[in-house]
Amino acid sequence: MVVLIAGIVLFLLTHLVRVIAPAFRQKMLERLGDKGWRISYSIVSLLSLLLLIYGFGQARLQTGMLYYPPLWMSHIAILLMLPAMICLAASLLPAGNIAVKTKHPMVLSVKIWAVAHLLANGETASVLLFGAFLAWGVVLRISLKRRERAGEAVLPSFKGKQFDVYAVAVGALAWFLLLWKLHEWLIGVSPLAM
């Protein structure tokens, strides 16, 4: 469990550096340059993600259940994952209405993903992981809203409604592939298992 907690803390702090340590980020940008900062940031992010994944796998073997969600919650979780995947796809494409209306579709995607998984998973390691990511999403969204008001954050500008069609198609395809086999291959658990 210690490795999981360390992985979560390192991963989420890395992804909150602009929120909790903007002066450090700026100092590192000046010292390393934009490219050097991006490379360093990417390496730390990747290492912390690997630590988080390894820690989660170990913690799942050691921890028990905090709660036993009813079976129907897994159906709600599966349904919630469709808009989560659409928002994720919208965040990776030029801005359509989805990206403009949600303002931060990646953050929204993570929050929906976390809520969906909290509804369907009651094991201690899962609750810790998904609860931490939900908290991260809330903190980041509040920070982004403050940065928008201060004129520091740039909201996505509309590029065309065809990107909404692409986001829905790509998100729905990703959702289907996760249900079909991808989740089981990557995570070791089928979301359709009863």
Side-chain angles (χ1 to χ4, degrees), residues 5-102:
I5 293 170
I8 290 171
V9 168
L10 186 59
F11 185 81
L12 296 182
L13 286 179
T14 301
H15 287 81
L16 284 173
V17 72
R18 179 177 244 160
V19 176
I20 59 175
F24 169 78
R25 182 181 180 277
Q26 189 58 41
K27 184 185 267 188
M28 295 309 290
L29 273 167
E30 291 166 4
R31 181 180 293 164
L32 302 172
D34 187 57
K35 187 175 181 180
W37 166 251
R38 287 178 186 264
I39 290 169
S40 301
Y41 182 85
S42 297
I43 290 169
V44 171
S45 294
L46 181 60
L47 291 174
S48 63
L49 179 62
L50 293 173
L51 182 66
L52 187 152
I53 291 168
Y54 175 77
F56 183 68
Q58 294 301 308
R60 288 180 74 196
L61 300 173
Q62 301 167 354
T63 60
M65 297 294 288
L66 284 179
Y67 57 88
Y68 293 89
L71 180 62
W72 56 269
M73 284 293 202
S74 64
H75 302 299
I76 293 173
I78 288 170
L79 288 174
L80 282 173
M81 285 307 298
L82 180 58
M85 297 309 294
I86 291 169
C87 286
L88 178 63
S91 74
L92 301 172
L93 294 167
N97 284 315
I98 295 170
V100 171
K101 298 285 186 201
T102 61

Side-chain angles (χ1 to χ4, degrees), residues 2 85 120 131 151 172 190:
V2 173
M85 297 309 294
S190 171

